[in-house]
């Protein structure tokens, strides 16, 4: 995500190191075991235990695939949906939760048998007709209807299904996926997706992955999208609008789909023209591009105030600058392919994407990363940059604050300075390729950095990630 917001200062705790395996993707079984407190008896937990969003995600199962069928009318703002979740029980389950807020549930079944359900805030509590056995694959079908709207995040920003004057801007970080489909809404649970979205003729519905087809009949157009690589729920989109569409394939075989609001087309053209070269440049730094599809959704959504790295196809609330496009493209590696296990570690997303902006400028005729670092460090001790340490922002209200982005990037520059350019490049590439389609933690990144460089980096990371206030410069 771009455009960080200023947040109040919070005291944080210092890092407690943990033993980890270097440069190996986190196994799904380990993730599920660590996702939250062990469920008591046969009830899946309501939330995976995230310190900032305790009700996000759910215990007791893993979703392998979402099949979402949606019908949206921008005039009435009515959404009719059917969500089919193919999941595996990780314990015996007589009851489990889905994250789902706002819309009316009109039907719910588990393995084609009607299941009892009730609402409890953002939780949709499901009691299947028969208990699910540990290891059993099962299918949950939920039909629903209503007028979706966004949630308000702890920092006051909007998140989720955000109506626009010609459709909807759909960006779900960190909570908003639950405003338009039921699911297991935490980055620890990643799945493949299929989308079938019907909108009035003349509108376009854009989701993640590859467009499989479109068909118009009786004044409506249906778009089918397929996202085969694992994706966290907050990275899903189903943005609707009157878009100008451009499609092509890069020389690396990546299928690009750009959807641009005509009112933003002229301003967006210079940055979008650079997308293939940006992806090629980032691939040389971080390893092969993680997906088969790429592109951009450029909407006009003046009440949003941010862009988001929706997987394969970032969504922008207005025409992006080149630096913003570089930032959101970098997230395809850092945040999308390599995902968080806790929102507390969000600097692994935003610090990395911000530092990619610095590297791009440095290698394309702009300021050096050192000059950018120096300009930031010159800010006084009372500046927002030093309000809290990026490695532990303190609360969900701070995860998009300036320290997460800028001081997170400064941490990476301090690492680069300490280990040298060659080792630093090896660290970035090993992180992105070793955890591809998986997850990572700050402790794992530190261990990887020490393993590649052969240096003890405890003091460096303690200073830049976890020390309150402005760090002393060596």
């Amino acid at each position: 995500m771009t455009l960080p917001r200023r947040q109040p200062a919070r005291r944080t705790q210092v890092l407690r190191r943990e033993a980890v395996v270097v440069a190996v993707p986190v196994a799904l079984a380990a993730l599920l075991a660590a996702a939250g407190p062990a469920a008591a008896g046969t009830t899946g937990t309501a939330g995976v235990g995230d310190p900032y969003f305790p009700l996000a995600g759910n215990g007791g199962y893993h979703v392998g695939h979402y099949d979402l069928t949606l019908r949206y009318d921008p005039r009435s703002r009515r959404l009719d949906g059917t969500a089919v979740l193919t999941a595996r029980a990780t314990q015996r389950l007589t009851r489990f939760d889905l994250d789902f807020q706002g819309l009316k549930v009109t039907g719910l079944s588990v393995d084609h048998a009607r299941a009892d359900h009730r609402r409890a805030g953002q939780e949709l509590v499901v009691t299947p007709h028969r208990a699910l056995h540990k290891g059993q694959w099962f299918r949950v079908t939920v039909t629903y209807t209503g007028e979706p709207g966004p949630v308000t995040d702890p920092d006051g920003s909007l998140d989720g299904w955000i109506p626009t004057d010609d459709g909807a801007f759909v960006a779900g970080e960190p909570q908003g996926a639950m405003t338009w489909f039921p699911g297991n809404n935490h980055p620890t649970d990643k799945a493949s997706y299929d989308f079938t979205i019907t909108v009035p003729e003349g509108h376009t519905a854009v989701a993640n992955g590859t467009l499989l087809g479109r068909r118009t009949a009786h004044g409506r157009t249906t778009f089918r999208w397929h996202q085969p690589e694992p994706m966290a729920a907050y990275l899903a989109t189903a943005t609707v609008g009157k878009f100008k569409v451009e499609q092509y394939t890069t020389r690396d075989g990546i299928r690009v789909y750009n959807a641009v609001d005509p009112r933003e087309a002229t301003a967006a053209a210079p940055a979008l023209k650079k997308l293939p070269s940006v992806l090629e440049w980032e691939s040389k730094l971080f390893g092969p591009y993680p997906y088969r599809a790429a592109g951009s959704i450029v909407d006009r959504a003046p009440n949003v105030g941010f862009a988001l790295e929706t997987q394969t196809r970032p969504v922008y609330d207005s025409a992006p600058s080149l630096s913003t496009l570089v930032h959101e493209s970098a997230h395809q590696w850092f945040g999308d392919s390599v995902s968080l296990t806790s929102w507390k570690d969000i600097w692994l997303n935003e610090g990395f994407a911000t530092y990619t902006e610095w590297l791009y400028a440095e290698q394309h005729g702009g300021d050096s990363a050192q000059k950018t670092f120096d300009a930031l460090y010159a800010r006084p001790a009372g500046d927002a940059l030093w309000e809290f340490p990026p490695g532990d922002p303190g609360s969900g209200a701070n995860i998009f604050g300036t320290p997460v982005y800028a001081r997170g990037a400064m941490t990476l520059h301090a690492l680069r300075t300490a280990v040298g350019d060659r080792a630093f490049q090896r660290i970035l590439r090993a992180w992105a390729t070793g955890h591809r389609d998986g997850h990572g933690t700050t402790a794992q990144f530190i261990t990887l950095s020490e393993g590649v460089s052969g240096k003890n980096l405890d003091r460096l990371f303690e200073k830049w990630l976890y020390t309150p206030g402005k760090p002393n410069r060596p």
Side-chain angles (χ1 to χ4, degrees):
M1 181 182 285
T2 53
L3 301 182
R5 310 146 179 116
R6 181 174 178 176
Q7 306 301 333
R10 288 291 298 267
R11 292 187 62 84
T12 57
Q13 297 179 344
V14 298
L15 171 69
R16 292 189 295 177
R17 298 293 301 281
E18 58 187 273
V20 293
V21 179
V22 178
V24 177
V26 179
L28 175 61
L31 269 178
L32 295 170
T42 61
T43 300
T45 55
V48 298
D50 189 276
Y52 294 169
F53 299 95
L55 289 179
N58 301 285
Y61 65 94
H62 157 64
V63 181
H65 184 72
Y66 291 86
D67 192 338
L68 305 178
T69 301
L70 308 172
R71 183 184 179 102
Y72 185 62
D73 185 346
R75 287 188 177 182
S76 66
R77 295 186 174 179
R78 177 188 173 107
L79 176 69
D80 296 300
T82 299
V84 180
L85 287 63
T86 303
R88 181 174 63 84
T90 58
Q91 64 179 72
R92 187 171 186 271
L93 284 175
T94 57
R95 194 179 75 202
F96 61 90
D97 286 17
L98 300 171
D99 297 309
F100 195 45
Q101 179 173 299
L103 297 171
K104 179 182 178 180
V105 175
T106 56
L108 196 153
S109 64
V110 177
D111 287 339
H112 306 291
R114 182 180 176 277
D116 291 335
H117 60 276
R118 61 180 175 84
R119 308 300 286 265
Q122 71 179 56
E123 302 296 310
L124 177 58
V125 183
V126 180
T127 303
H129 180 67
R130 294 179 179 176
L132 303 169
H133 302 292
K134 182 177 179 180
Q136 176 183 342
W137 284 93
F138 62 97
R139 179 171 293 184
V140 184
T141 302
V142 184
T143 57
Y144 51 95
T145 189
E147 183 177 330
V151 294
T152 301
D153 291 325
D155 66 353
S157 62
L158 299 179
D159 167 22
W161 191 281
I162 306 172
T164 62
D165 62 358
D166 63 354
F169 181 98
V170 183
E173 187 182 33
Q175 304 180 90
M178 65 182 176
T179 65
W180 59 283
F181 70 94
N184 200 352
N185 188 20
H186 192 269
T188 49
D189 202 67
K190 298 168 73 169
S192 58
Y193 283 72
D194 280 293
F195 306 83
T196 303
I197 311 170
T198 300
V199 292
E201 185 176 1
H203 288 72
T204 300
V206 191
N208 312 84
T210 303
L211 179 65
L212 298 182
R214 54 174 290 175
R215 181 176 61 87
T216 299
H218 308 297
R220 293 189 173 272
T221 304
T222 298
F223 295 81
R224 295 188 300 112
W225 295 89
H226 178 57
Q227 169 57 52
E229 298 91 356
M231 179 170 71
Y234 81 91
L235 296 169
T237 189
T239 294
V240 175
K242 293 184 177 180
F243 295 122
K244 178 181 178 181
V245 173
E246 174 189 35
Q247 299 183 69
Y248 60 89
T249 301
T250 71
R251 62 186 182 183
D252 293 328
I254 301 168
R255 297 174 65 178
V256 175
Y257 185 104
N258 291 327
V260 183
D261 188 304
R263 297 168 291 183
E264 300 291 330
T266 299
L272 297 189
K273 185 178 180 180
K274 293 281 189 180
L275 179 60
S277 63
V278 168
L279 294 179
E280 184 176 358
W281 175 79
E282 291 179 339
S283 295
K284 290 177 180 176
L285 284 180
F286 311 139
Y289 179 70
Y291 308 113
R292 308 172 194 179
S296 307
I297 307 169
V298 182
D299 208 344
R300 175 169 283 191
N303 61 329
V304 172
F306 61 83
L308 181 65
E309 60 273 16
T310 44
Q311 192 158 304
T312 69
R313 191 161 294 108
V315 58
Y316 303 94
D317 68 331
S318 61
S321 65
L322 179 57
S323 62
T324 300
L325 183 134
V326 168
H327 181 108
E328 302 303 339
S329 297
H331 274 310
Q332 303 307 306
W333 285 265
F334 306 116
D336 293 12
S337 178
V338 184
S339 298
L340 303 176
T341 62
S342 169
W343 286 108
K344 177 180 174 181
D345 277 344
I346 193 171
W347 85 277
L348 290 169
N349 293 6
E350 301 302 347
F352 281 54
T354 301
Y355 195 67
T356 302
E357 293 182 60
W358 298 12
L359 292 174
Y360 188 87
E362 180 177 82
Q363 296 182 26
H364 292 82
D367 289 343
S368 68
Q370 185 64 54
K371 185 175 181 179
T372 304
F373 178 97
D374 291 341
L376 286 167
Y377 190 80
R379 294 184 182 183
D383 189 84
L385 176 61
W386 317 115
E387 283 186 312
F388 53 84
D392 189 356
S395 75
N398 293 340
I399 62 174
F400 301 122
T402 299
V404 170
Y405 290 69
R407 187 169 162 182
M410 294 175 80
T411 301
L412 291 173
H413 189 71
L415 173 64
R416 176 186 173 187
T417 302
V419 304
D421 281 1
R422 180 172 296 182
F424 181 70
Q425 291 170 7
R426 288 172 57 203
I427 290 167
L428 290 183
R429 193 177 184 93
W431 181 250
T433 58
H435 293 263
R436 180 170 172 148
D437 290 335
H439 299 77
T441 67
T442 296
Q444 288 176 312
F445 181 71
I446 294 172
T447 302
L448 171 64
S449 299
E450 292 182 333
V452 170
S453 67
K455 295 177 178 288
N456 186 316
L457 300 169
D458 282 358
R459 293 182 64 184
L460 182 150
F461 284 105
E462 180 70 27
K463 175 178 181 176
W464 287 100
L465 284 184
Y466 295 99
T467 300
K470 183 176 181 178
N472 295 323
R473 187 168 183 172

